[in-house]
Amino acid sequence: MKSDTKKGAIGVFDSGYGGLTILDEIRKRLPEYDYLYLGDNARAPYGSRSFDVVYNFTLQAVKYLFDSGCRLVILACNTASAKALRTIQQKDLPVIDPKRRVLGVIRPTVELLGQLTKNGHIGVLGTPGTIQSESYPMEIRKMYPDFHSYGQACPMWVPLIENQEGNGEGADYFVKKYIDALFSQCADIDTVILGCTHYPLLYDKIMKYMPKGVNVIRQGAIIAESLEDYLHRHQDIDGKCSRNGTCKYLTTESAEKFKSTASVFLEECEDVKQIILI
Ligand code: DGL
């Protein structure tokens, strides 16, 4: 572990490419900081993996980012936030380094619901892992005990995007299928969380099949705002985040493959290095 006085980049972790939609919004809002993105692309998707596997992979990634100097790591992945965040915060951080922080994407998203819903009926679209974990309903119950939530797993959406078929005609079938399945649970849902970092890339098609007037929540801007707020409130952590406006990328896949697929999510992505997580 590096010296405690040294400043480091803000770590952003995702199972694959989806977290780039979050990183993009964070960099727009907080361009002065340095960022180190880690995509576990060789082992993605995490969406259908068991609790223990997602936890172990995520912990390996967090340790790698810490060893690379990060003081603060954002789990920009709903599946990792759902299955690994709490254990890492409660069990691992006190042992690894109690002064470092790991934050997720679920809580900041849920916090916003009170401002958006009129009737308290919330839909959550996510990977099978995120939906099965019940993390969203648990967080919603804690914050808004009167709300009702309905989860729908969308196992085909991430593969469609990763295979660059998100804009193809075949995608329409699966987008409509899962939205219909969500609203068949409750026709009164007035707010829907896109609870997976990939889903903003399907936004146009999602809106095509979404009933009119429903609020659809994309997480990028929300996470960026909540990070800014967090850094204001935690000057000790903020003071340990370096500010040269750089962004570097780590991937468990080949750097060339990462650059080529990342171009679907980001305009520019140059400084990419392949790593092994163990
Ligand atoms: N990034 C993940 C999430 O937000 C989805 C991709 C995966 O299944 O690994 O849930």
Side-chain angles (χ1 to χ4, degrees):
M1 197 73 60
K2 297 221 167 124
S3 150
D4 199 38
T5 54
K6 243 183 133 200
K7 293 187 181 193
I10 296 175
V12 179
F13 169 69
D14 186 51
S15 57
Y17 300 101
L20 295 171
T21 62
I22 306 274
L23 175 69
D24 199 30
E25 294 290 341
I26 292 178
R27 288 192 73 201
K28 276 188 210 147
R29 192 165 188 118
L30 300 166
E32 67 275 28
Y33 290 88
D34 294 318
Y35 297 94
L36 184 57
Y37 183 89
L38 198 169
D40 192 5
N41 304 88
R43 303 189 294 195
Y46 281 11
S48 305
R49 291 191 185 275
S50 67
F51 183 96
D52 280 354
V53 170
V54 172
Y55 162 66
N56 282 320
F57 285 0
T58 305
L59 183 59
Q60 289 169 3
V62 166
K63 283 182 173 169
Y64 196 100
L65 287 166
F66 282 170
D67 284 341
S68 305
C70 300
R71 306 287 154 163
L72 171 64
V73 172
I74 314 293
L75 300 186
C77 173
N78 286 269
T79 311
S81 297
K83 293 191 166 186
L85 178 64
R86 188 174 307 181
T87 315
I88 290 176
Q89 283 176 333
Q90 293 177 358
K91 183 174 139 273
D92 299 300
L93 267 186
V95 179
I96 300 170
D97 183 347
K99 290 198 180 118
R100 301 196 190 214
R101 293 287 176 273
V102 181
L103 306 175
V105 289
I106 294 177
R107 199 189 165 94
T109 309
V110 169
E111 266 169 5
L112 201 76
L113 292 174
Q115 297 170 35
L116 293 176
T117 180
K118 291 206 165 54
N119 65 13
H121 289 290
I122 312 298
V124 182
L125 298 168
T127 64
T130 297
I131 299 303
Q132 279 156 19
S133 75
E134 298 264 318
S135 295
Y136 273 101
M138 280 191 287
E139 207 60 49
I140 291 170
R141 268 196 302 274
K142 254 193 264 163
M143 241 176 269
Y144 303 106
D146 298 338
F147 288 8
H148 300 275
S149 67
Y150 310 86
Q152 177 60 47
C154 312
M156 289 302 291
W157 285 8
V158 169
L160 280 167
I161 295 162
E162 297 251 338
N163 289 294
Q164 305 189 13
E165 285 292 341
N167 294 320
E169 283 171 27
D172 282 72
Y173 172 81
F174 287 107
V175 170
K176 181 173 183 320
K177 177 179 170 150
Y178 300 139
I179 290 176
D180 288 351
L182 177 67
F183 282 87
S184 73
Q185 296 181 51
C186 171
D188 293 333
I189 292 169
D190 76 347
T191 303
V192 172
I193 297 171
L194 300 186
C196 171
T197 50
H198 281 63
Y199 297 174
L201 291 231
L202 282 177
Y203 187 73
D204 290 346
K205 279 205 198 294
I206 288 171
M207 294 315 283
K208 186 168 156 192
Y209 296 106
M210 191 63 68
K212 296 282 164 278
V214 171
N215 299 308
V216 177
I217 304 180
R218 286 177 281 188
Q219 293 177 303
I222 299 168
I223 304 309
E225 191 180 341
S226 129
L227 175 60
E228 184 176 38
D229 179 52
Y230 180 88
L231 292 169
H232 277 147
R233 286 186 290 109
H234 296 84
Q235 291 295 317
D236 50 331
I237 302 289
D238 189 44
K240 289 189 179 140
C241 297
S242 55
R243 300 170 190 227
N244 301 298
T246 67
C247 190
K248 295 181 179 169
Y249 302 87
L250 304 171
T251 173
T252 52
E253 250 292 352
S254 87
E256 281 320 308
K257 187 162 181 220
F258 183 89
K259 275 188 205 173
S260 132
T261 310
S263 63
V264 178
F265 295 79
L266 279 182
E267 273 172 29
E268 154 284 323
C269 165
E270 277 312 309
D271 195 338
V272 185
K273 189 174 113 187
Q274 182 172 10
I275 60 157
I276 295 172
L277 287 179
I278 38 170

